[in-house]
Amino acid sequence: MSDVSGAIERMYRRILLIVGRGRTQTGSDDGAVQLQQVRLGRMDTVDNVPRLAEYGFNSMPPPDTDAIVLFVGGNRSNGVIVATGNQRFRMRSLRPGEVSISDNLGQSVLLSQDGIVVNGGGLPMRIENTPEVTVDTPKAIFTGDVQIDGNLDVDGNIVAQGDISDHGVKSMAGMREVYNGHSHPVEGVKAGTDSVTSKKPGQGQ
């Protein structure tokens, strides 16, 4: 009878150890699997715990991020992190159905009920390694200067159905200044009430 009681006691303890809740301390994201050190209690810290995440969504939690750890068979040497969350940097006040991606620097993408909002957190944004970018919208609004690095080639590099100018590196204000000063070559000017039609602009704007 004592053997049965002992087995039940050991099984009970293993069941209690299957799920652990703690906070990440430090981690490594250099290998095939991200590893984290998790502090589960005052005297209980587990090293090199693999962290699983949904395919295509990758993150490196900052220290003191909440973590839920599952231990296979209640074995504290065989755990895996299945969920993480940070109370300090969580985006708050989401409405039903809204989705967000955010970090500890203030950068975020919010799929809100009013539309998509991208917040750069005061840091630069880049679009890299793409042969073409299409903006399919009837209106694009810029609240600041627009600068183009390099020359615009409407026959090759840049295709526009609206107005476009070839200025090298200029702000919108600079483009307007050049445009206002450009001229059209006019041939066949006559005297009196005769009229002629000017050619299309041949001067770079």
Side-chain angles (χ1 to χ4, degrees), residues 176-187:
R176 174 57 61 183
E177 181 179 352
V178 173
Y179 177 81
N180 289 339
H182 85 293
S183 60
H184 296 199
V186 178
E187 297 179 358

Side-chain angles (χ1 to χ4, degrees), residues 3 28 41 55 57 62 77 93 97 110 113 122 133 138 140 152 154 165 167 182 191:
D3 292 342
S28 172
Y55 170 77
F57 292 88
S77 64
S93 302
L110 172 61
Q113 294 181 2
V133 176
L152 302 182
V154 297
S165 300
H167 298 298
H182 85 293

Side-chain angles (χ1 to χ4, degrees), residues 8 26 38 69 82 90 122 144 152 166 172 177 181 187 199 205:
I8 294 175
T26 184
V38 183
V69 187
V82 296
R90 184 181 71 84
L152 302 182
D166 185 351
M172 293 299 288
E177 181 179 352
E187 297 179 358
K199 290 185 176 180
Q205 299 176 10

